[in-house]
Amino acid sequence: MFDCDGVLWHDESLVPGAVQVLEHLRALKKKIIFVTNNATKSRKNYKKKFDRLGVQAEVDEVFGSAYASAVYISSVLQLPKDEKVYVIGQAGLEEELDEEGIQHIGGTDPADKTLDAFDITKFERDPKVTVVLAGLDTAINYTKLAKAMQYLTRNPGCRFIATNEDSTYPVAGGQFLPGAGAISAPLRYITKTDPLSIGKPNQAMMDTIKAKAEYASFVDQFDTFMFDCDGVLWHGDSLIPGTAQVLEHLRALKKKIIFVTNTATTSRKNYKKKFDRLGVQAEVDEIFGSAYASAVYLSSVLQLPKDEKVYVIGQAGLEEELNGEGIQHIGGTDPADKTLDAFDITKFERDPKVTVVLAGGDTAINYTKLAKAMQYLTRNPGCRFIATNEDSTYPVAGGHFLPGAGSLSAPLRYITKANPIAIGKPNQAMMDTIRANQEAQVYLLPPNPVQHHEAPALNPTEANTLISHHLGLDVYENLPDQVEGWWHKVTGWVYGNVVTNGVGQGPQDAVLIVIQSDHPEDFIPSDMKQSFTIPDAPSASMFTDLIHAYTERASHLFDSVFSSLSPLLAAIKETPAYKQLLDIFDLAGEGASHFVEEFGRIVEWVDEELEGKSKAAKSDEDKFSAFEVKGLAEVEKAYGRQSEQYITAAKSMQAVLSNPHLQERKVAVVVVPPEIARRQKRAPQSSADSSLVTTSSNKVVFSVSTCFKTNETCTEKTSSCSGHGSCNPVTIAGKTCYTCSCSITKNEKGRRQWWAGQACERLDMSTPFTLLAGTALVLIVLVVFSIGLLQAVGYEQLPNTLTAAASAHPKRE
């Protein structure tokens, strides 16, 4: 810890050597804290002085007595949110109190800046004031002292705190002026007590620094923070002080934020309007109301079949969320159920497709709804009883309460003698739903012959190790010692036996497909079983980086590489034929065009690689292919999960994944929730923060080819990378090994040559070939897309969206 005035500088003159000492300590990875008793400036303003003098400092490293006082009140005293502080001080002190979400009065209030006599008969003492905080105030006057005295002597338990005890403070020319301690002296004399002094060298400053460090340590432990809304973020339509600042701070730290509420009558889109109205940043995808959570639970956890239905007791918001998940439902706001007439069971046509009764808040609850729900629960075999939440009441304006969703489902509990599955907080079902909406799912081919009841959950590092090894991109001399036990366990889970790999095992044909979607069940073939999940998945853009890195590494291992991220293939969308494909799909907008473009690339690959139609390809070549599909989720968002457009797109993707030739290759299909992608756009994450493999120069390397323990071994085994590159260190799971990094050379005619292979032993012809064959390749893609699309759909009748623009009659292969 460093004091500032007199230690780092004198007024505006930096002490010689100060910068060098601080830089040396930072190079040694030491934590630096700057302390000052100046309470007239906020940390942000103090940071400007550091910048002006050329001293590296972050705002979080500066502990002025103003900031320390605010943190002490909020974190050590833990002042309740409805209590207030009377301030003797200036704008910097008020700014720090605001940052900590502390209510305050006095300070720079114009009403207190007066030399008129203080009239106690007109003074309205605020009973909420429980702290008087005195700092340096160059506008100190009798009114401020008189008000502070009233609070300290008349408000029970009011505490007296001083920013510091300095009797004077230095100014230019070696002069001194009255300090904060002198300003609070009259109140000491009046109350016959010393204030709790925060600034150095008092223990309170150390307690504050410790409290802040403990808070930072606590926050660092978690990647995701969940907040209730009513009573935590707001009361009614009044935002709780400090709410916006806390959320902004967590976002600045790249934390994921989730809002949970048991309100089941409002959809997330409508709930978002309240956040906007109160000035709280929130995205629809961050809000988990019990209505949305119930819908996701049905679709993703229970995985309700498409042909089954839900009988709803609830309002429009609940129905809207069910529609969003593509779940068929009846009841709810149906006018036929909104009646007070007697229920005639002889006219009731029970729907055998109803397998769930979902009960939420419903201000139009009636006997007919209860009677129909009873029929489904007691007469439809296996019909499940689910409640959005168990709240017996819910709060309304004026401190009143009304019957809640739990009380409305009570008659059905009493009838069935069974408790429903309750989705809302604090039930486990809410956590299962949130987890299902956050995790990435991985499917590996060939599949494990031994099926498990539940796919194992891996962290990103473990998942990366397993995927890259499965695709043949990591070939070690020996498996790293520290992961050997884990490797034996996981490969037993995923493959049904222990898998090892070593030098001499060349790569085989491999395919990586990354798809952004919340609903893998819509397009993953039924016989393709989940291999493992990544509950705390990296952002979707990290998976884009994964494709780039895997493709780059594959260029040194495989004979040919096909990547959907090739800039050349993006030229498809500029052609008239591409726009015609959009018309055939009857889609419009950027998301639709993304899907058609992405799907076209996959179909080209299916046609040329899987079906073996490429004359140029050699049968004994090892091929690596990688694809990314973002457009499927964008089509769903634009048209809805039950739309013909989305169903067409999903079935087309399913047809590609069902291709029997895919089973002959090593395949990894990764399904990433699109919410992760949207969060990434708001808060970009540095690649250095990921738990992925990195080189010594901090460049992300997701996987490594043959990697040797020493530079000497790499040089010897690869004959110095065949003279076309060099052995460079990379770090895997905390250990360093060495692999060839190939270079570009020039031949005798001065033309560039690209080298590839595990030992940079062969020329890479893909780059110059791509430059020469660009125009022809685009034409091939367009032709193959049209043929491949029909092959993918097979003998089933094509949806209308495929046929409307081309023919009035159904098309078949």
Side-chain angles (χ1 to χ4, degrees), residues 643-697:
S643 68
E644 196 170 20
Q645 292 91 340
Y646 173 73
I647 293 172
T648 298
K651 284 187 175 296
S652 300
M653 183 59 62
Q654 186 180 61
V656 169
L657 297 177
S658 299
N659 191 298
H661 294 283
L662 210 62
Q663 305 286 339
E664 302 170 4
R665 287 156 173 75
K666 288 189 173 182
V667 180
V669 179
V670 183
V671 183
V672 189
E675 281 82 356
I676 297 176
R678 289 190 279 274
R679 279 197 299 272
Q680 179 68 12
K681 291 177 183 177
R682 292 194 303 275
Q685 180 180 0
S686 169
S687 59
D689 294 335
S690 69
S691 54
L692 303 168
V693 182
T694 59
T695 66
S696 56
S697 62

Side-chain angles (χ1 to χ4, degrees), residues 701-717:
V701 178
F702 286 76
S703 59
V704 189
S705 58
T706 304
C707 207
F708 302 93
K709 288 185 176 179
T710 65
N711 187 32
E712 291 75 15
T713 305
C714 176
T715 301
E716 178 184 351
K717 295 286 186 181

